[in-house]
Amino acid sequence: LLERVRLTPDTNPFGGTSGEVYLIDLGGQDLIIRDCVIEGTLILRNPGPQTRIEGSVAWRPVRSGDPILIVAGDTTPTITIATDEVPIVEHTLGVDLDGDEQQESVIASRLEGVLLVDGHVVLSRRPRIAGCLMAQDTVLFTGAQAWIDAGAVDPGQVPAGFPVDRR
């Protein structure tokens, strides 16, 4: 469970040196990401079938164009994105998530950046995605009222291995 934490290059609640890329090999176990502020790229290897992002999550890359999430595995992985567009209210959660040493901020819940999934994506609830969602297999909407901010994709920002018209 990754819940009510701020994970950025400056803040790593799990100790050790903070970074921009975090690799977690789940070995078939499930991970739930909920009510967090994340700045960086999270790589999930071999996630369990109930791995999901839920609640209110503010997530963006360190550098524009970097992916925020990469999901891959030895078998075809599935990840569920069941976030809400409801903002994160620090005083309700009782934690400082924006790093200002107070619990007074209201932070927009949205996934900003590129999400790459080497498998299946299930969208439910009301996720707000400002970026690009790329899935190797399927994207399934299960009662989701997704808000996807679409825009032109800079060909120079498309990750290796994905086809792009570079005209």
PDB file of all heavy atoms in Angstrom, residues 103-136:
ATOM      1  N   GLN A 103      -0.708  21.688   6.662  1.00  0.00           N
ATOM      2  CA  GLN A 103      -1.738  20.773   6.173  1.00  0.00           C
ATOM      3  C   GLN A 103      -2.958  21.576   5.744  1.00  0.00           C
ATOM      4  O   GLN A 103      -4.078  21.276   6.115  1.00  0.00           O
ATOM      5  CB  GLN A 103      -2.113  19.765   7.266  1.00  0.00           C
ATOM      6  CG  GLN A 103      -0.995  18.846   7.645  1.00  0.00           C
ATOM      7  CD  GLN A 103      -1.375  17.887   8.749  1.00  0.00           C
ATOM      8  OE1 GLN A 103      -2.529  17.756   9.126  1.00  0.00           O
ATOM      9  NE2 GLN A 103      -0.387  17.195   9.277  1.00  0.00           N
ATOM     10  N   GLU A 104      -2.703  22.605   4.922  1.00  0.00           N
ATOM     11  CA  GLU A 104      -3.772  23.516   4.538  1.00  0.00           C
ATOM     12  C   GLU A 104      -4.063  23.525   3.045  1.00  0.00           C
ATOM     13  O   GLU A 104      -4.996  24.177   2.609  1.00  0.00           O
ATOM     14  CB  GLU A 104      -3.422  24.935   4.998  1.00  0.00           C
ATOM     15  CG  GLU A 104      -3.236  25.034   6.501  1.00  0.00           C
ATOM     16  CD  GLU A 104      -2.748  26.405   6.941  1.00  0.00           C
ATOM     17  OE1 GLU A 104      -2.457  27.249   6.073  1.00  0.00           O
ATOM     18  OE2 GLU A 104      -2.661  26.621   8.161  1.00  0.00           O
ATOM     19  N   SER A 105      -3.277  22.822   2.263  1.00  0.00           N
ATOM     20  CA  SER A 105      -3.406  22.900   0.806  1.00  0.00           C
ATOM     21  C   SER A 105      -4.495  21.982   0.267  1.00  0.00           C
ATOM     22  O   SER A 105      -4.821  20.951   0.854  1.00  0.00           O
ATOM     23  CB  SER A 105      -2.082  22.544   0.135  1.00  0.00           C
ATOM     24  OG  SER A 105      -1.080  23.452   0.504  1.00  0.00           O
ATOM     25  N   VAL A 106      -5.016  22.399  -0.884  1.00  0.00           N
ATOM     26  CA  VAL A 106      -5.938  21.588  -1.674  1.00  0.00           C
ATOM     27  C   VAL A 106      -5.223  21.355  -3.006  1.00  0.00           C
ATOM     28  O   VAL A 106      -4.860  22.309  -3.691  1.00  0.00           O
ATOM     29  CB  VAL A 106      -7.290  22.307  -1.877  1.00  0.00           C
ATOM     30  CG1 VAL A 106      -8.193  21.494  -2.784  1.00  0.00           C
ATOM     31  CG2 VAL A 106      -7.954  22.572  -0.529  1.00  0.00           C
ATOM     32  N   ILE A 107      -4.988  20.099  -3.348  1.00  0.00           N
ATOM     33  CA  ILE A 107      -4.176  19.748  -4.511  1.00  0.00           C
ATOM     34  C   ILE A 107      -5.045  19.023  -5.533  1.00  0.00           C
ATOM     35  O   ILE A 107      -5.751  18.075  -5.198  1.00  0.00           O
ATOM     36  CB  ILE A 107      -3.001  18.838  -4.080  1.00  0.00           C
ATOM     37  CG1 ILE A 107      -2.181  19.519  -2.975  1.00  0.00           C
ATOM     38  CG2 ILE A 107      -2.132  18.472  -5.269  1.00  0.00           C
ATOM     39  CD1 ILE A 107      -1.261  18.576  -2.225  1.00  0.00           C
ATOM     40  N   ALA A 108      -4.983  19.492  -6.782  1.00  0.00           N
ATOM     41  CA  ALA A 108      -5.776  18.871  -7.853  1.00  0.00           C
ATOM     42  C   ALA A 108      -5.368  17.419  -8.050  1.00  0.00           C
ATOM     43  O   ALA A 108      -4.189  17.078  -8.062  1.00  0.00           O
ATOM     44  CB  ALA A 108      -5.598  19.643  -9.156  1.00  0.00           C
ATOM     45  N   SER A 109      -6.357  16.546  -8.204  1.00  0.00           N
ATOM     46  CA  SER A 109      -6.111  15.127  -8.448  1.00  0.00           C
ATOM     47  C   SER A 109      -6.097  14.885  -9.946  1.00  0.00           C
ATOM     48  O   SER A 109      -7.131  14.974 -10.610  1.00  0.00           O
ATOM     49  CB  SER A 109      -7.215  14.285  -7.785  1.00  0.00           C
ATOM     50  OG  SER A 109      -7.042  12.929  -8.099  1.00  0.00           O
ATOM     51  N   ARG A 110      -4.918  14.587 -10.476  1.00  0.00           N
ATOM     52  CA  ARG A 110      -4.788  14.284 -11.896  1.00  0.00           C
ATOM     53  C   ARG A 110      -3.471  13.598 -12.164  1.00  0.00           C
ATOM     54  O   ARG A 110      -2.484  13.811 -11.471  1.00  0.00           O
ATOM     55  CB  ARG A 110      -4.967  15.520 -12.764  1.00  0.00           C
ATOM     56  CG  ARG A 110      -3.980  16.602 -12.508  1.00  0.00           C
ATOM     57  CD  ARG A 110      -4.340  17.891 -13.189  1.00  0.00           C
ATOM     58  NE  ARG A 110      -3.684  17.986 -14.472  1.00  0.00           N
ATOM     59  CZ  ARG A 110      -4.072  18.783 -15.447  1.00  0.00           C
ATOM     60  NH1 ARG A 110      -5.138  19.512 -15.323  1.00  0.00           N
ATOM     61  NH2 ARG A 110      -3.417  18.837 -16.556  1.00  0.00           N
ATOM     62  N   LEU A 111      -3.485  12.758 -13.166  1.00  0.00           N
ATOM     63  CA  LEU A 111      -2.291  12.056 -13.613  1.00  0.00           C
ATOM     64  C   LEU A 111      -1.777  12.811 -14.827  1.00  0.00           C
ATOM     65  O   LEU A 111      -2.421  12.800 -15.876  1.00  0.00           O
ATOM     66  CB  LEU A 111      -2.615  10.600 -13.955  1.00  0.00           C
ATOM     67  CG  LEU A 111      -3.352   9.805 -12.874  1.00  0.00           C
ATOM     68  CD1 LEU A 111      -3.649   8.394 -13.363  1.00  0.00           C
ATOM     69  CD2 LEU A 111      -2.576   9.776 -11.590  1.00  0.00           C
ATOM     70  N   GLU A 112      -0.642  13.484 -14.687  1.00  0.00           N
ATOM     71  CA  GLU A 112      -0.094  14.341 -15.738  1.00  0.00           C
ATOM     72  C   GLU A 112       1.122  13.683 -16.355  1.00  0.00           C
ATOM     73  O   GLU A 112       2.160  13.611 -15.706  1.00  0.00           O
ATOM     74  CB  GLU A 112       0.380  15.672 -15.145  1.00  0.00           C
ATOM     75  CG  GLU A 112      -0.647  16.719 -14.992  1.00  0.00           C
ATOM     76  CD  GLU A 112      -0.020  17.979 -14.434  1.00  0.00           C
ATOM     77  OE1 GLU A 112       0.849  18.575 -15.109  1.00  0.00           O
ATOM     78  OE2 GLU A 112      -0.417  18.356 -13.331  1.00  0.00           O
ATOM     79  N   GLY A 113       0.997  13.217 -17.574  1.00  0.00           N
ATOM     80  CA  GLY A 113       2.161  12.634 -18.225  1.00  0.00           C
ATOM     81  C   GLY A 113       1.813  11.390 -19.008  1.00  0.00           C
ATOM     82  O   GLY A 113       0.659  11.117 -19.308  1.00  0.00           O
ATOM     83  N   VAL A 114       2.827  10.627 -19.322  1.00  0.00           N
ATOM     84  CA  VAL A 114       2.685   9.433 -20.145  1.00  0.00           C
ATOM     85  C   VAL A 114       2.580   8.204 -19.244  1.00  0.00           C
ATOM     86  O   VAL A 114       3.386   8.026 -18.336  1.00  0.00           O
ATOM     87  CB  VAL A 114       3.898   9.288 -21.102  1.00  0.00           C
ATOM     88  CG1 VAL A 114       3.783   8.030 -21.942  1.00  0.00           C
ATOM     89  CG2 VAL A 114       4.025  10.525 -21.993  1.00  0.00           C
ATOM     90  N   LEU A 115       1.555   7.385 -19.502  1.00  0.00           N
ATOM     91  CA  LEU A 115       1.383   6.117 -18.793  1.00  0.00           C
ATOM     92  C   LEU A 115       1.558   5.003 -19.815  1.00  0.00           C
ATOM     93  O   LEU A 115       0.833   4.966 -20.822  1.00  0.00           O
ATOM     94  CB  LEU A 115      -0.010   6.031 -18.171  1.00  0.00           C
ATOM     95  CG  LEU A 115      -0.304   7.014 -17.046  1.00  0.00           C
ATOM     96  CD1 LEU A 115      -0.907   8.285 -17.601  1.00  0.00           C
ATOM     97  CD2 LEU A 115      -1.253   6.401 -16.067  1.00  0.00           C
ATOM     98  N   LEU A 116       2.518   4.103 -19.582  1.00  0.00           N
ATOM     99  CA  LEU A 116       2.818   3.018 -20.512  1.00  0.00           C
ATOM    100  C   LEU A 116       2.517   1.689 -19.827  1.00  0.00           C
ATOM    101  O   LEU A 116       3.079   1.404 -18.769  1.00  0.00           O
ATOM    102  CB  LEU A 116       4.301   3.039 -20.903  1.00  0.00           C
ATOM    103  CG  LEU A 116       4.847   4.353 -21.455  1.00  0.00           C
ATOM    104  CD1 LEU A 116       6.363   4.298 -21.534  1.00  0.00           C
ATOM    105  CD2 LEU A 116       4.252   4.629 -22.809  1.00  0.00           C
ATOM    106  N   VAL A 117       1.635   0.897 -20.430  1.00  0.00           N
ATOM    107  CA  VAL A 117       1.257  -0.378 -19.830  1.00  0.00           C
ATOM    108  C   VAL A 117       1.443  -1.476 -20.876  1.00  0.00           C
ATOM    109  O   VAL A 117       0.812  -1.448 -21.931  1.00  0.00           O
ATOM    110  CB  VAL A 117      -0.200  -0.349 -19.323  1.00  0.00           C
ATOM    111  CG1 VAL A 117      -0.576  -1.688 -18.708  1.00  0.00           C
ATOM    112  CG2 VAL A 117      -0.394   0.782 -18.326  1.00  0.00           C
ATOM    113  N   ASP A 118       2.296  -2.429 -20.549  1.00  0.00           N
ATOM    114  CA  ASP A 118       2.554  -3.560 -21.435  1.00  0.00           C
ATOM    115  C   ASP A 118       1.517  -4.646 -21.135  1.00  0.00           C
ATOM    116  O   ASP A 118       1.853  -5.753 -20.739  1.00  0.00           O
ATOM    117  CB  ASP A 118       3.971  -4.085 -21.213  1.00  0.00           C
ATOM    118  CG  ASP A 118       4.337  -5.189 -22.189  1.00  0.00           C
ATOM    119  OD1 ASP A 118       3.722  -5.253 -23.264  1.00  0.00           O
ATOM    120  OD2 ASP A 118       5.220  -6.001 -21.853  1.00  0.00           O
ATOM    121  N   GLY A 119       0.255  -4.280 -21.279  1.00  0.00           N
ATOM    122  CA  GLY A 119      -0.828  -5.201 -20.957  1.00  0.00           C
ATOM    123  C   GLY A 119      -2.171  -4.499 -21.018  1.00  0.00           C
ATOM    124  O   GLY A 119      -2.444  -3.773 -21.966  1.00  0.00           O
ATOM    125  N   HIS A 120      -2.980  -4.699 -19.973  1.00  0.00           N
ATOM    126  CA  HIS A 120      -4.353  -4.193 -19.939  1.00  0.00           C
ATOM    127  C   HIS A 120      -4.486  -3.045 -18.937  1.00  0.00           C
ATOM    128  O   HIS A 120      -3.856  -3.056 -17.887  1.00  0.00           O
ATOM    129  CB  HIS A 120      -5.316  -5.302 -19.507  1.00  0.00           C
ATOM    130  CG  HIS A 120      -5.183  -6.564 -20.291  1.00  0.00           C
ATOM    131  ND1 HIS A 120      -5.669  -6.698 -21.576  1.00  0.00           N
ATOM    132  CD2 HIS A 120      -4.593  -7.743 -19.988  1.00  0.00           C
ATOM    133  CE1 HIS A 120      -5.397  -7.916 -22.017  1.00  0.00           C
ATOM    134  NE2 HIS A 120      -4.740  -8.566 -21.069  1.00  0.00           N
ATOM    135  N   VAL A 121      -5.371  -2.088 -19.281  1.00  0.00           N
ATOM    136  CA  VAL A 121      -5.713  -0.992 -18.381  1.00  0.00           C
ATOM    137  C   VAL A 121      -7.223  -1.011 -18.190  1.00  0.00           C
ATOM    138  O   VAL A 121      -7.978  -1.102 -19.162  1.00  0.00           O
ATOM    139  CB  VAL A 121      -5.296   0.372 -18.954  1.00  0.00           C
ATOM    140  CG1 VAL A 121      -5.717   1.503 -18.019  1.00  0.00           C
ATOM    141  CG2 VAL A 121      -3.802   0.421 -19.211  1.00  0.00           C
ATOM    142  N   VAL A 122      -7.660  -0.917 -16.935  1.00  0.00           N
ATOM    143  CA  VAL A 122      -9.077  -0.795 -16.621  1.00  0.00           C
ATOM    144  C   VAL A 122      -9.269   0.590 -16.019  1.00  0.00           C
ATOM    145  O   VAL A 122      -8.600   0.958 -15.054  1.00  0.00           O
ATOM    146  CB  VAL A 122      -9.531  -1.876 -15.608  1.00  0.00           C
ATOM    147  CG1 VAL A 122     -11.003  -1.681 -15.247  1.00  0.00           C
ATOM    148  CG2 VAL A 122      -9.284  -3.269 -16.170  1.00  0.00           C
ATOM    149  N   LEU A 123     -10.168   1.380 -16.616  1.00  0.00           N
ATOM    150  CA  LEU A 123     -10.488   2.706 -16.091  1.00  0.00           C
ATOM    151  C   LEU A 123     -11.863   2.658 -15.447  1.00  0.00           C
ATOM    152  O   LEU A 123     -12.830   2.202 -16.065  1.00  0.00           O
ATOM    153  CB  LEU A 123     -10.494   3.753 -17.211  1.00  0.00           C
ATOM    154  CG  LEU A 123      -9.159   4.026 -17.893  1.00  0.00           C
ATOM    155  CD1 LEU A 123      -9.351   4.954 -19.079  1.00  0.00           C
ATOM    156  CD2 LEU A 123      -8.158   4.611 -16.920  1.00  0.00           C
ATOM    157  N   SER A 124     -11.957   3.115 -14.207  1.00  0.00           N
ATOM    158  CA  SER A 124     -13.248   3.207 -13.536  1.00  0.00           C
ATOM    159  C   SER A 124     -13.265   4.461 -12.677  1.00  0.00           C
ATOM    160  O   SER A 124     -12.242   5.121 -12.500  1.00  0.00           O
ATOM    161  CB  SER A 124     -13.523   1.949 -12.696  1.00  0.00           C
ATOM    162  OG  SER A 124     -12.625   1.854 -11.630  1.00  0.00           O
ATOM    163  N   ARG A 125     -14.432   4.796 -12.151  1.00  0.00           N
ATOM    164  CA  ARG A 125     -14.675   6.013 -11.372  1.00  0.00           C
ATOM    165  C   ARG A 125     -14.532   7.242 -12.258  1.00  0.00           C
ATOM    166  O   ARG A 125     -15.052   7.265 -13.353  1.00  0.00           O
ATOM    167  CB  ARG A 125     -13.818   6.041 -10.133  1.00  0.00           C
ATOM    168  CG  ARG A 125     -14.088   4.822  -9.235  1.00  0.00           C
ATOM    169  CD  ARG A 125     -13.516   4.979  -7.893  1.00  0.00           C
ATOM    170  NE  ARG A 125     -14.010   6.165  -7.238  1.00  0.00           N
ATOM    171  CZ  ARG A 125     -14.747   6.174  -6.136  1.00  0.00           C
ATOM    172  NH1 ARG A 125     -15.072   5.053  -5.567  1.00  0.00           N
ATOM    173  NH2 ARG A 125     -15.127   7.301  -5.592  1.00  0.00           N
ATOM    174  N   ARG A 126     -13.781   8.258 -11.821  1.00  0.00           N
ATOM    175  CA  ARG A 126     -13.650   9.506 -12.569  1.00  0.00           C
ATOM    176  C   ARG A 126     -12.187   9.946 -12.675  1.00  0.00           C
ATOM    177  O   ARG A 126     -11.808  10.997 -12.151  1.00  0.00           O
ATOM    178  CB  ARG A 126     -14.473  10.602 -11.908  1.00  0.00           C
ATOM    179  CG  ARG A 126     -15.963  10.336 -11.906  1.00  0.00           C
ATOM    180  CD  ARG A 126     -16.724  11.453 -11.229  1.00  0.00           C
ATOM    181  NE  ARG A 126     -16.547  12.707 -11.908  1.00  0.00           N
ATOM    182  CZ  ARG A 126     -17.390  13.199 -12.807  1.00  0.00           C
ATOM    183  NH1 ARG A 126     -18.456  12.514 -13.151  1.00  0.00           N
ATOM    184  NH2 ARG A 126     -17.165  14.358 -13.366  1.00  0.00           N
ATOM    185  N   PRO A 127     -11.347   9.154 -13.346  1.00  0.00           N
ATOM    186  CA  PRO A 127      -9.938   9.541 -13.437  1.00  0.00           C
ATOM    187  C   PRO A 127      -9.741  10.760 -14.326  1.00  0.00           C
ATOM    188  O   PRO A 127     -10.451  10.936 -15.318  1.00  0.00           O
ATOM    189  CB  PRO A 127      -9.273   8.311 -14.042  1.00  0.00           C
ATOM    190  CG  PRO A 127     -10.347   7.635 -14.800  1.00  0.00           C
ATOM    191  CD  PRO A 127     -11.623   7.908 -14.051  1.00  0.00           C
ATOM    192  N   ARG A 128      -8.800  11.594 -13.950  1.00  0.00           N
ATOM    193  CA  ARG A 128      -8.430  12.753 -14.770  1.00  0.00           C
ATOM    194  C   ARG A 128      -7.005  12.519 -15.245  1.00  0.00           C
ATOM    195  O   ARG A 128      -6.076  12.481 -14.442  1.00  0.00           O
ATOM    196  CB  ARG A 128      -8.502  14.021 -13.929  1.00  0.00           C
ATOM    197  CG  ARG A 128      -8.084  15.256 -14.669  1.00  0.00           C
ATOM    198  CD  ARG A 128      -9.261  16.149 -14.887  1.00  0.00           C
ATOM    199  NE  ARG A 128      -8.954  17.192 -15.832  1.00  0.00           N
ATOM    200  CZ  ARG A 128      -9.387  18.421 -15.705  1.00  0.00           C
ATOM    201  NH1 ARG A 128     -10.135  18.743 -14.693  1.00  0.00           N
ATOM    202  NH2 ARG A 128      -9.101  19.312 -16.615  1.00  0.00           N
ATOM    203  N   ILE A 129      -6.864  12.306 -16.538  1.00  0.00           N
ATOM    204  CA  ILE A 129      -5.567  12.023 -17.136  1.00  0.00           C
ATOM    205  C   ILE A 129      -5.213  13.169 -18.075  1.00  0.00           C
ATOM    206  O   ILE A 129      -5.943  13.448 -19.021  1.00  0.00           O
ATOM    207  CB  ILE A 129      -5.572  10.683 -17.898  1.00  0.00           C
ATOM    208  CG1 ILE A 129      -5.902   9.542 -16.936  1.00  0.00           C
ATOM    209  CG2 ILE A 129      -4.226  10.450 -18.588  1.00  0.00           C
ATOM    210  CD1 ILE A 129      -6.118   8.208 -17.609  1.00  0.00           C
ATOM    211  N   ALA A 130      -4.112  13.839 -17.794  1.00  0.00           N
ATOM    212  CA  ALA A 130      -3.628  14.932 -18.631  1.00  0.00           C
ATOM    213  C   ALA A 130      -2.334  14.449 -19.269  1.00  0.00           C
ATOM    214  O   ALA A 130      -1.261  14.622 -18.720  1.00  0.00           O
ATOM    215  CB  ALA A 130      -3.401  16.191 -17.803  1.00  0.00           C
ATOM    216  N   GLY A 131      -2.462  13.765 -20.364  1.00  0.00           N
ATOM    217  CA  GLY A 131      -1.279  13.219 -21.005  1.00  0.00           C
ATOM    218  C   GLY A 131      -1.645  12.140 -21.984  1.00  0.00           C
ATOM    219  O   GLY A 131      -2.611  12.257 -22.713  1.00  0.00           O
ATOM    220  N   CYS A 132      -0.894  11.067 -21.946  1.00  0.00           N
ATOM    221  CA  CYS A 132      -1.038  10.013 -22.933  1.00  0.00           C
ATOM    222  C   CYS A 132      -1.074   8.659 -22.227  1.00  0.00           C
ATOM    223  O   CYS A 132      -0.231   8.383 -21.379  1.00  0.00           O
ATOM    224  CB  CYS A 132       0.156  10.086 -23.881  1.00  0.00           C
ATOM    225  SG  CYS A 132       0.095   8.924 -25.233  1.00  0.00           S
ATOM    226  N   LEU A 133      -2.064   7.860 -22.564  1.00  0.00           N
ATOM    227  CA  LEU A 133      -2.194   6.512 -22.024  1.00  0.00           C
ATOM    228  C   LEU A 133      -1.945   5.534 -23.165  1.00  0.00           C
ATOM    229  O   LEU A 133      -2.670   5.533 -24.155  1.00  0.00           O
ATOM    230  CB  LEU A 133      -3.592   6.308 -21.437  1.00  0.00           C
ATOM    231  CG  LEU A 133      -3.974   4.907 -21.005  1.00  0.00           C
ATOM    232  CD1 LEU A 133      -3.050   4.409 -19.905  1.00  0.00           C
ATOM    233  CD2 LEU A 133      -5.422   4.881 -20.538  1.00  0.00           C
ATOM    234  N   MET A 134      -0.895   4.720 -23.025  1.00  0.00           N
ATOM    235  CA  MET A 134      -0.554   3.740 -24.058  1.00  0.00           C
ATOM    236  C   MET A 134      -0.617   2.351 -23.445  1.00  0.00           C
ATOM    237  O   MET A 134       0.046   2.085 -22.445  1.00  0.00           O
ATOM    238  CB  MET A 134       0.854   3.993 -24.595  1.00  0.00           C
ATOM    239  CG  MET A 134       1.035   5.307 -25.280  1.00  0.00           C
ATOM    240  SD  MET A 134       2.731   5.438 -25.888  1.00  0.00           S
ATOM    241  CE  MET A 134       2.857   7.185 -26.165  1.00  0.00           C
ATOM    242  N   ALA A 135      -1.425   1.488 -24.057  1.00  0.00           N
ATOM    243  CA  ALA A 135      -1.555   0.117 -23.567  1.00  0.00           C
ATOM    244  C   ALA A 135      -1.227  -0.842 -24.699  1.00  0.00           C
ATOM    245  O   ALA A 135      -1.668  -0.651 -25.833  1.00  0.00           O
ATOM    246  CB  ALA A 135      -2.968  -0.132 -23.064  1.00  0.00           C
ATOM    247  N   GLN A 136      -0.478  -1.884 -24.380  1.00  0.00           N
ATOM    248  CA  GLN A 136      -0.122  -2.897 -25.376  1.00  0.00           C
ATOM    249  C   GLN A 136      -1.345  -3.707 -25.795  1.00  0.00           C
ATOM    250  O   GLN A 136      -1.467  -4.099 -26.935  1.00  0.00           O
ATOM    251  CB  GLN A 136       0.954  -3.831 -24.813  1.00  0.00           C
ATOM    252  CG  GLN A 136       1.396  -4.920 -25.755  1.00  0.00           C
ATOM    253  CD  GLN A 136       2.159  -4.381 -26.948  1.00  0.00           C
ATOM    254  OE1 GLN A 136       2.825  -3.360 -26.853  1.00  0.00           O
ATOM    255  NE2 GLN A 136       2.059  -5.050 -28.071  1.00  0.00           N
TER     256      GLN A 136
END
